[in-house]
Amino acid sequence: PAPRGCPCGSRRRVALRSPQVACKAASAVLVKTLRFVQNVPCFQELPLEEQLLLVRSCWAPLLLLGLAQDRVHLETVESAEPSMLQRILTARQQGEQPPPRAPAPAPGRPHHGPHLPSAGEIQAIKGFLAKCWSLDISTKEYAYLKGTVLFNPDLPGLQCTQYIEGLQREAQQALNEHVRLIHRGDEARFAKLNVVLSLLRSINANVVAELFFRPIIGAVNMDDMLLEMLCAKL
């Protein structure tokens, strides 16, 4: 059997090469994304509590779709912080106890303290962007994909579940009809676009926050920031 690849490389910590440039671009995309959301009439008809619940749950995938649409490229560098192996070897050489291994945060749970994304986490984002660009997704297709992501009826705590489920279904139907009309020779395109959505689900929102917002505003409370931006006239 072929040897399995060592996962160590994917655990290396990486940072943005030009954080000010990339973070500024991401901030501009977030403003555009929330403006897009606010301009969806069906979204405005929902109670404010439902609006906030939806946005809090999907701001990261919507932002990534916006970054793909605006062709924002990520240039990263490996962090200078020592690896776990380096710290263990150094500690042993000096006769100290090796540092305890920090437990990995559970999926969906926030990271505590500064957290540089790993190479694997960054590669997932880059892979998503590359997939979008390879499909040359149109403005309308991006809009329908954003609608599918935004109107998620499976969130706990929603009251207007059936209405939101109907909106998500409408977004998917509109996407399907658009693809059939514009890409008649590509019967697999609708499925390919749904692969894009599945890639989005594998990317942790905490990683997106740490990567794009911590370098410029420090400790990030995305809930507070989203509430402020959503209630403002963008």
Side-chain angles (χ1 to χ4, degrees):
R4 288 185 294 178
C6 175
C8 303
S10 66
R11 295 175 184 159
R12 294 194 314 271
R13 298 296 162 185
V14 292
L16 293 169
R17 183 183 295 277
S18 304
Q20 295 298 332
V21 175
C23 294
K24 184 178 179 180
S27 297
V29 170
L30 183 60
V31 170
K32 286 170 63 175
T33 298
L34 292 180
R35 186 181 295 138
F36 166 83
V37 167
Q38 287 177 322
N39 287 333
V40 176
C42 302
F43 180 79
Q44 293 177 341
E45 292 175 6
L46 291 167
L48 181 59
E49 294 78 10
E50 305 275 284
Q51 294 181 26
L52 289 173
L53 194 55
L54 290 174
V55 169
R56 281 172 176 163
S57 74
C58 72
W59 71 267
L62 288 180
L63 175 67
L64 291 172
L65 282 168
L67 292 174
Q69 187 172 3
D70 285 6
R71 298 266 173 174
V72 176
H73 289 264
L74 300 185
E75 291 189 35
T76 54
V77 291
E78 189 169 341
S79 168
E81 75 173 16
S83 67
M84 178 59 67
L85 177 60
Q86 287 174 309
R87 282 183 279 176
I88 290 173
L89 293 177
T90 303
R92 285 183 176 168
Q93 192 173 19
Q94 296 173 352
E96 302 170 1
Q97 287 294 321
R101 189 182 188 92
R109 296 290 299 277
H111 296 289
H112 296 289
H115 170 76
L116 283 174
S118 69
E121 290 168 333
I122 296 298
Q123 193 51 49
I125 294 175
K126 288 184 174 181
F128 163 77
L129 295 175
K131 181 67 174 177
C132 289
W133 297 333
S134 71
L135 291 171
D136 196 20
I137 300 174
S138 69
T139 301
K140 279 192 174 182
E141 287 170 334
Y142 273 119
Y144 298 140
L145 288 172
K146 290 174 186 177
T148 301
V149 170
L150 174 63
F151 296 114
N152 179 8
D154 299 324
L155 293 176
L158 286 176
Q159 302 298 318
C160 308
T161 308
Q162 289 186 327
Y163 178 63
I164 292 169
E165 185 176 9
L167 294 174
Q168 186 183 66
R169 193 182 309 114
E170 285 181 29
Q172 278 278 287
Q173 288 173 348
L175 176 63
N176 195 11
E177 289 170 9
H178 175 79
V179 167
R180 288 171 59 187
L181 181 64
I182 304 298
H183 300 274
R184 295 181 181 179
D186 188 354
E187 296 181 0
R189 185 170 180 83
F190 181 69
K192 292 175 185 175
L193 291 172
N194 276 290
V195 168
V196 166
L197 295 178
S198 67
L199 290 175
L200 273 177
R201 296 186 194 103
S202 68
I203 299 172
N204 193 311
N206 295 316
V207 173
V208 178
E210 293 287 345
L211 183 65
F212 292 113
F213 298 105
R214 181 180 283 276
I216 52 173
I217 60 176
V220 184
N221 186 325
M222 291 305 299
D223 280 358
D224 290 346
M225 195 165 86
L226 290 167
L227 175 60
E228 185 176 339
M229 294 177 74
L230 195 63
C231 293
K233 293 185 181 296
L234 298 173

